Amino acid sequence: MLKVHNIISRYGPVTALHGADFTLNGGEVLALVGTNGAGKSTLVMSIAGHVIPQQGQIYLEGEDITQIALHERAARGIGLVPEGRRVFPDLTVKENLITGGYVLPRQSEKERLDGVYDIFPRLYERAHQLAGSLSGGEQQMLAFGRAIMLNPKVMLIDEISLGLMPRVIMECYEVLEQLRQRQIAIILVDQNSDASLGFADKAIWLESGHVKWQGKAKDCPLLLESVVG
Ligand SMILES: Nc1ncnc2c1ncn2[C@@H]1O[C@H](COP(=O)(O)OP(=O)(O)OP(=O)(O)O)[C@@H](O)[C@H]1O
Ligand SMILES: [Mg+2]
């Protein structure tokens, strides 16, 4: 589904990612772990198209998407739940959802909206409420819903649990499980690395933009450390 080959990404003179290499099949989950500034968001943003890598290739279903624009990647099914959610506070819930899927044909909009409302009945109840008045957990649901409006093949979720209560975090993981069942490939960043490693199949541990370790999530040294220690 997704193949990332030796991606190097920079912000001006700063190289934030010195080469990441992995493949991800539909229904597989990859956890990105590492301390602040490790390059997790940079890798996510490089796949989403907010950052164009300086070197390396990204393939979606065998097609090279490395150089194509953000909105075209979205149209091909790369959904992003960004760090901090970034919902539009002055638009309603429904308007936020529609902006999420604007790159797809209007004819399928109602069906896609209904699909999101099926997963998140609370968003249906609040369809006409301004997004800025939602709770943090509801905003995270809206950010998920906005990405699901794209009928995504790949979901990128950066900082899934930031600022959320344990019960809401559990709900977010339940939604992720539904997405996994639908054979969506998932890349997940959670400041609680035990949670993301416990859920994921594969893991990449980044430090200062370098891959320190990668392999099966259950074998990740970060997870073992916290179990032992
Ligand atoms: N827009 C930017 N301009 C310049 N440097 C940036 C920019 N965004 C990130 N960086 C730098 O790139 C490096 C990687 O940052 P990144 O945000 O990818 O880390 P992260 O692993 O997501 O960290 P966190 O856990 O704090 O979210 C850091 O050194 C950061 O300062
Ligand atoms: Mg980050």
Side-chain angles (χ1 to χ4, degrees), residues 11-12 14-17 34-43 83 158-159 189 206 209:
Y11 301 102
V14 180
T15 303
L17 188 63
T35 51
N36 294 129
K40 305 180 298 293
S41 296
T42 302
L43 178 50
E83 191 171 350
D158 199 357
E159 300 295 357
V189 180
L206 291 165

Short mmCIF file of all heavy atoms in Angstrom, two decimals, residues 11-12 14-17 34-43 83 158-159 189 206 209, ligand 1:
data_model
loop_
_atom_site.label_atom_id
_atom_site.label_comp_id
_atom_site.label_asym_id
_atom_site.label_seq_id
_atom_site.Cartn_x
_atom_site.Cartn_y
_atom_site.Cartn_z
N TYR A 11 14.29 21.47 6.80
CA TYR A 11 13.68 22.80 6.89
C TYR A 11 14.83 23.77 6.70
O TYR A 11 15.63 23.94 7.62
CB TYR A 11 13.03 23.03 8.25
CG TYR A 11 11.95 22.02 8.59
CD1 TYR A 11 12.21 20.97 9.47
CD2 TYR A 11 10.68 22.12 8.03
CE1 TYR A 11 11.21 20.05 9.79
CE2 TYR A 11 9.69 21.22 8.36
CZ TYR A 11 9.96 20.19 9.23
OH TYR A 11 8.98 19.28 9.55
N GLY A 12 14.98 24.37 5.53
CA GLY A 12 16.14 25.22 5.27
C GLY A 12 17.41 24.44 5.55
O GLY A 12 17.60 23.35 5.01
N VAL A 14 18.27 22.96 8.25
CA VAL A 14 18.12 21.91 9.27
C VAL A 14 17.60 20.62 8.64
O VAL A 14 16.50 20.61 8.09
CB VAL A 14 17.12 22.36 10.37
CG1 VAL A 14 16.97 21.26 11.42
CG2 VAL A 14 17.55 23.67 10.99
N THR A 15 18.39 19.55 8.71
CA THR A 15 17.89 18.25 8.25
C THR A 15 17.16 17.60 9.42
O THR A 15 17.76 17.27 10.44
CB THR A 15 19.05 17.35 7.78
OG1 THR A 15 19.74 18.05 6.74
CG2 THR A 15 18.52 16.03 7.23
N ALA A 16 15.85 17.47 9.27
CA ALA A 16 15.03 16.96 10.38
C ALA A 16 14.84 15.45 10.28
O ALA A 16 14.46 14.81 11.26
CB ALA A 16 13.68 17.67 10.38
N LEU A 17 15.12 14.90 9.11
CA LEU A 17 14.93 13.45 8.91
C LEU A 17 16.02 12.95 7.96
O LEU A 17 16.11 13.38 6.82
CB LEU A 17 13.54 13.20 8.31
CG LEU A 17 13.10 11.76 8.20
CD1 LEU A 17 12.98 11.12 9.58
CD2 LEU A 17 11.76 11.68 7.47
N GLY A 34 9.85 8.22 19.76
CA GLY A 34 11.08 9.00 19.93
C GLY A 34 10.77 10.29 20.66
O GLY A 34 9.62 10.71 20.72
N THR A 35 11.81 10.90 21.22
CA THR A 35 11.62 12.09 22.06
C THR A 35 11.23 13.32 21.23
O THR A 35 11.19 13.26 20.00
CB THR A 35 12.91 12.42 22.83
OG1 THR A 35 13.98 12.45 21.88
CG2 THR A 35 13.21 11.39 23.89
N ASN A 36 10.99 14.43 21.90
CA ASN A 36 10.63 15.69 21.22
C ASN A 36 11.72 16.07 20.22
O ASN A 36 12.90 15.98 20.53
CB ASN A 36 10.47 16.83 22.22
CG ASN A 36 9.29 16.61 23.16
OD1 ASN A 36 9.44 16.70 24.37
ND2 ASN A 36 8.15 16.30 22.61
N GLY A 37 11.28 16.47 19.04
CA GLY A 37 12.24 16.89 18.01
C GLY A 37 12.92 15.75 17.28
O GLY A 37 13.85 15.95 16.51
N ALA A 38 12.43 14.51 17.49
CA ALA A 38 13.06 13.34 16.88
C ALA A 38 12.83 13.27 15.38
O ALA A 38 13.60 12.63 14.66
CB ALA A 38 12.52 12.07 17.55
N GLY A 39 11.75 13.91 14.91
CA GLY A 39 11.45 13.88 13.47
C GLY A 39 10.16 13.13 13.15
O GLY A 39 9.87 12.89 11.97
N LYS A 40 9.37 12.79 14.16
CA LYS A 40 8.14 12.04 13.93
C LYS A 40 7.17 12.84 13.06
O LYS A 40 6.67 12.34 12.06
CB LYS A 40 7.47 11.69 15.28
CG LYS A 40 8.39 10.93 16.24
CD LYS A 40 7.71 10.60 17.57
CE LYS A 40 7.25 11.80 18.39
NZ LYS A 40 8.37 12.62 18.94
N SER A 41 6.92 14.09 13.47
CA SER A 41 5.98 14.91 12.69
C SER A 41 6.53 15.20 11.29
O SER A 41 5.77 15.28 10.33
CB SER A 41 5.71 16.25 13.40
OG SER A 41 5.07 16.02 14.63
N THR A 42 7.84 15.33 11.20
CA THR A 42 8.44 15.60 9.89
C THR A 42 8.18 14.43 8.94
O THR A 42 7.85 14.64 7.76
CB THR A 42 9.96 15.84 10.03
OG1 THR A 42 10.15 16.93 10.94
CG2 THR A 42 10.60 16.16 8.70
N LEU A 43 8.29 13.21 9.45
CA LEU A 43 8.02 12.05 8.60
C LEU A 43 6.54 12.02 8.21
O LEU A 43 6.20 11.81 7.03
CB LEU A 43 8.44 10.76 9.34
CG LEU A 43 8.18 9.44 8.63
CD1 LEU A 43 8.73 9.44 7.20
CD2 LEU A 43 8.80 8.28 9.42
N GLU A 83 -1.05 17.05 14.33
CA GLU A 83 -0.74 17.42 15.72
C GLU A 83 -1.55 18.68 16.04
O GLU A 83 -1.55 19.64 15.28
CB GLU A 83 0.77 17.69 15.81
CG GLU A 83 1.30 17.83 17.19
CD GLU A 83 2.85 17.88 17.22
OE1 GLU A 83 3.50 17.62 16.19
OE2 GLU A 83 3.37 18.19 18.30
N ASP A 158 -1.04 12.19 14.12
CA ASP A 158 0.08 12.74 14.88
C ASP A 158 -0.42 13.19 16.25
O ASP A 158 -1.30 14.04 16.34
CB ASP A 158 0.68 13.92 14.10
CG ASP A 158 2.09 14.25 14.56
OD1 ASP A 158 2.58 13.61 15.51
OD2 ASP A 158 2.70 15.16 13.96
N GLU A 159 0.18 12.63 17.28
CA GLU A 159 -0.17 12.97 18.68
C GLU A 159 -1.64 12.72 18.96
O GLU A 159 -2.41 13.62 19.29
CB GLU A 159 0.21 14.42 19.00
CG GLU A 159 1.69 14.73 18.85
CD GLU A 159 2.60 13.98 19.84
OE1 GLU A 159 2.08 13.24 20.70
OE2 GLU A 159 3.82 14.12 19.72
N VAL A 189 1.39 8.37 15.89
CA VAL A 189 2.30 8.96 16.88
C VAL A 189 1.49 9.20 18.15
O VAL A 189 0.41 9.80 18.08
CB VAL A 189 2.89 10.30 16.39
CG1 VAL A 189 3.83 10.88 17.45
CG2 VAL A 189 3.63 10.13 15.06
N LEU A 206 12.76 6.97 16.26
CA LEU A 206 13.58 8.06 15.71
C LEU A 206 14.27 8.80 16.84
O LEU A 206 13.66 9.02 17.91
CB LEU A 206 12.71 9.05 14.93
CG LEU A 206 12.10 8.56 13.62
CD1 LEU A 206 11.00 9.50 13.16
CD2 LEU A 206 13.17 8.44 12.54
N GLY A 209 16.30 12.77 14.22
CA GLY A 209 16.12 12.60 12.78
C GLY A 209 16.68 11.32 12.22
O GLY A 209 16.55 11.05 11.03
N1 LIG B 1 8.82 24.33 10.44
C1 LIG B 1 10.05 24.04 10.90
N2 LIG B 1 11.12 24.85 10.61
C2 LIG B 1 12.35 24.54 11.07
N3 LIG B 1 12.64 23.45 11.81
C3 LIG B 1 11.63 22.63 12.12
C4 LIG B 1 10.29 22.88 11.69
N4 LIG B 1 9.50 21.90 12.18
C5 LIG B 1 10.32 21.07 12.87
N5 LIG B 1 11.60 21.51 12.83
C6 LIG B 1 12.75 20.86 13.45
O1 LIG B 1 12.85 19.56 12.93
C7 LIG B 1 13.21 18.63 13.95
C8 LIG B 1 12.18 17.54 14.03
O2 LIG B 1 10.94 18.08 14.48
P1 LIG B 1 9.59 17.26 14.49
O3 LIG B 1 8.51 18.24 14.72
O4 LIG B 1 9.51 16.40 13.29
O5 LIG B 1 9.80 16.33 15.79
P2 LIG B 1 8.76 15.44 16.58
O6 LIG B 1 9.42 14.09 16.75
O7 LIG B 1 7.44 15.47 15.95
O8 LIG B 1 8.73 16.16 18.00
P3 LIG B 1 7.51 16.33 19.06
O9 LIG B 1 7.47 15.06 19.85
O10 LIG B 1 7.94 17.48 19.90
O11 LIG B 1 6.25 16.59 18.31
C9 LIG B 1 13.35 19.44 15.23
O12 LIG B 1 14.71 19.74 15.41
C10 LIG B 1 12.56 20.71 14.94
O13 LIG B 1 13.09 21.79 15.64
#
